[in-house]
């Protein structure tokens, strides 16, 4: 059975070439084609002989994802359904802005966490994405940015389908290929991994001294409310998460981002803002307040404009760094919490 060549390390690739009587430098040539030039077929590898390319085809495959179809929002956001080698689909989003060009990528097919406000949470988790599939999303969205806006990607957020920290090894391997000088050579400071809150894996990130940014999908700063909308909180309470985030900061010195969706008459009162302030002040952080984007499976509503303004002002008056994030791509179900493979061919 043919093996996915991108699952091999450079050492493994070198050992393969030596085993068939080829020089070790062939491994570096192929590695560059795979991870710097993003080749999707062996035929592209023009500095290899035709015979060697045929031999690679016999023994290996490149399981490159394909853009199945894309939709363009009125605000310029582009959502794509990516088809994987086993016919599964995941979604990724290009979010253009004046000061940045952001790719929102997925880490799993579906999700197992069942957050009540998120469309992906109502899907089954079918499998984890492998490092090459994570890398390919970034390559595809970067090409869209250059084609449509003549600007390359500047930022990557792991805020698409799935929980990144439940696909820990593959996500970190994918980020390594994206950030490595013998990969896409993007800065890890431009990458944010968002988690619903897996405390022991946050601590593992700290022990691994990762260079990228960490965001916590918080959405409520008391356990009772958070349990209602995020079942993961029952086993990863706010106290446990707070300790893990402090540990992460002490090890990495990277400030935490708290993501907070404001739901009408649920978590948008001044008392809720006080709880958020008390939680957020425990660790160097900033807060992104996010508009709620409706989904068919849930009956939450976005907060009213005046309540959002009062909520944000309270936090700012307490000295916290607060950004209010307006929804992008809502008309094509590409906004935060809406990814669920429901897109139609444009």
């Amino acid at each position: 059975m043919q093996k996915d060549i991108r699952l091999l390390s450079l050492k493994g690739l070198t050992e393969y070439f030596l085993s068939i009587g080829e020089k070790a430098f062939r491994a570096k040539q192929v590695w560059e084609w795979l991870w710097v030039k993003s080749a999707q077929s062996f035929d592209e590898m023009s500095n290899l002989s035709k015979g060697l390319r045929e031999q690679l085809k016999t023994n290996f495959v490149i399981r490159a994802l394909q853009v199945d179809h894309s939709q363009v929002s009125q605000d310029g956001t582009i959502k794509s359904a990516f088809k994987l080698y086993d016919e599964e689909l995941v979604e990724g989003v290009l979010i253009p802005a004046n000061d940045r060009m952001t790719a929102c990528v997925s880490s799993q097919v579906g999700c197992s966490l069942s957050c009540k406000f998120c469309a992906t949470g109502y899907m089954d988790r079918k499998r984890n994405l492998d490092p090459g599939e994570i890398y390919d999303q970034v390559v595809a969205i970067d090409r869209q940015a250059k084609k449509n806006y003549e600007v390359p990607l500047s930022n990557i957020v792991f805020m698409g389908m799935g929980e990144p920290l439940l696909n820990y090894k593959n996500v970190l391997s994918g980020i390594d290929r994206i950030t490595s000088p013998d990969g896409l050579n993007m800065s890890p400071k431009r990458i944010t991994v968002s988690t619903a809150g897996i405390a022991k894996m946050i601590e593992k990130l700290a022990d691994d001294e990762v260079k990228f940014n960490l965001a916590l999908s918080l959405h409520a700063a008391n356990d009772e409310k958070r349990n209602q909308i995020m079942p993961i909180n029952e086993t990863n309470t706010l106290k446990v998460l707070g300790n893990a985030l402090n540990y992460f900061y002490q090890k990495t010195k990277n400030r935490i981002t708290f993501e907070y969706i404001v739901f009408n008459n649920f978590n948008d009162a001044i008392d809720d803002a006080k709880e958020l302030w008390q939680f957020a002040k425990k660790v160097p952080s900033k807060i992104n307040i996010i508009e709620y984007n409706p989904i068919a499976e849930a009956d939450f509503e976005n907060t009213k404009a005046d309540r959002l303004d009062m909520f944000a002002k309270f936090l700012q008056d307490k000295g916290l760094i607060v950004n209010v994030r307006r929804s992008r791509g809502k008309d094509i179900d590409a906004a935060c919490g809406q990814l669920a493979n429901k897109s139609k061919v444009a």
Side-chain angles (χ1 to χ4, degrees):
M1 184 176 175
Q2 292 169 306
K3 183 172 184 176
D4 183 355
I5 195 168
R6 294 193 298 182
L7 295 178
L8 291 179
S9 64
L10 180 57
K11 182 183 177 200
L13 207 52
T14 303
E15 289 171 353
Y16 166 75
F17 280 111
L18 292 175
S19 75
I20 62 170
E22 288 284 344
K23 301 288 189 186
F25 75 87
R26 293 295 184 200
K28 287 189 176 178
Q29 287 180 315
V30 171
W31 189 261
E32 183 175 331
W33 279 109
L34 294 174
W35 299 115
V36 180
K37 298 177 181 176
S38 310
Q40 295 198 344
S41 74
F42 295 112
D43 289 331
E44 294 175 51
M45 300 180 181
S46 54
N47 55 354
L48 304 183
S49 69
K50 190 168 187 292
L52 186 51
R53 279 179 273 164
E54 292 300 320
Q55 191 164 359
L56 288 172
K57 284 186 208 176
T58 300
N59 291 291
F60 298 104
V61 291
I62 302 173
R63 289 176 169 171
L65 62 70
Q66 306 297 325
V67 179
D68 190 70
H69 56 271
S70 298
Q71 292 173 283
V72 183
S73 167
Q74 293 174 353
D75 62 27
T77 299
I78 301 175
K79 180 175 77 167
S80 299
F82 297 119
K83 183 177 286 187
L84 311 177
Y85 73 92
D86 55 2
E87 303 296 310
E88 295 289 355
L89 293 174
V90 294
E91 292 184 337
V93 184
L94 171 65
I95 307 164
N98 291 333
D99 61 339
R100 65 183 61 194
M101 196 66 62
T102 303
C104 176
V105 300
S106 295
S107 56
Q108 296 179 308
V109 181
C111 187
S112 60
L113 294 190
S114 304
C115 297
K116 303 305 181 189
F117 50 84
C118 177
T120 314
Y122 289 87
M123 302 172 66
D124 293 330
R125 188 197 71 83
K126 295 189 175 178
R127 69 172 177 85
N128 290 332
L129 298 189
D130 66 37
E133 291 168 331
I134 292 166
Y135 168 95
D136 280 349
Q137 291 176 79
V138 173
V139 171
I141 297 173
D142 181 53
R143 287 173 178 163
Q144 290 175 338
K146 291 170 180 172
K147 178 182 177 183
N148 290 277
Y149 298 102
E150 298 180 351
V151 177
L153 277 185
S154 61
N155 296 74
I156 302 167
V157 294
F158 281 76
M159 297 181 186
M161 301 169 72
E163 166 54 57
L165 299 192
L166 292 180
N167 185 17
Y168 189 93
K169 182 180 177 183
N170 289 347
V171 166
L172 262 63
S173 294
I175 290 174
D176 177 69
R177 293 292 87 230
I178 292 163
T179 58
S180 174
D182 63 353
L184 298 181
N185 202 26
M186 292 188 71
S187 169
K189 296 295 184 187
R190 297 283 187 163
I191 297 175
T192 299
V193 172
S194 175
T195 177
I198 320 290
K200 66 179 182 181
M201 303 314 290
I202 291 172
E203 291 170 354
K204 183 164 173 52
L205 288 174
D207 289 335
D208 288 338
E209 298 182 355
V210 298
K211 305 298 185 196
F212 53 76
N213 303 302
L214 179 66
L216 175 70
S217 290
L218 186 60
H219 314 314
N222 77 56
D223 284 317
E224 184 182 352
K225 283 189 178 181
R226 200 165 188 265
N227 287 349
Q228 289 180 46
I229 57 173
M230 301 181 74
I232 187 66
N233 194 72
E234 294 170 11
T235 51
N236 292 261
T237 63
L238 290 169
K239 182 178 180 181
V240 171
L241 282 176
N243 290 338
L245 293 170
N246 264 305
Y247 184 74
F248 177 87
Y249 179 77
Q250 294 304 322
K251 284 272 192 171
T252 67
K253 301 305 178 190
N254 280 356
R255 187 172 59 187
I256 311 298
T257 298
F258 292 116
E259 298 164 318
Y260 194 97
I261 297 174
V262 275
F263 303 107
N264 190 42
N265 292 326
F266 178 75
N267 66 347
D268 59 346
I270 293 300
D271 283 346
D272 298 301
K274 286 179 183 175
E275 291 174 340
L276 176 54
W277 163 59
Q278 288 166 350
F279 185 77
K281 70 180 182 179
K282 295 177 182 178
V283 62
S285 60
K286 63 179 181 178
I287 297 169
N288 285 345
I289 298 176
I290 303 169
E291 292 182 318
Y292 176 63
N293 303 299
I295 59 171
E297 295 86 353
D299 56 5
F300 295 105
E301 294 179 358
N302 189 31
T303 190
K304 303 296 187 285
D306 58 338
R307 287 173 73 87
L308 188 154
D309 290 343
M310 285 191 295
F311 192 96
K313 184 177 185 303
F314 175 89
L315 296 170
Q316 288 166 336
D317 288 347
K318 291 293 186 181
L320 297 178
I321 301 169
V322 180
N323 299 302
V324 177
R325 297 285 189 213
R326 304 298 177 182
S327 293
R328 301 292 302 274
K330 190 184 293 190
D331 57 315
I332 57 169
D333 290 334
C336 181
Q338 292 186 319
L339 300 187
N341 288 341
K342 291 182 180 176
S343 53
K344 300 183 178 107
V345 178

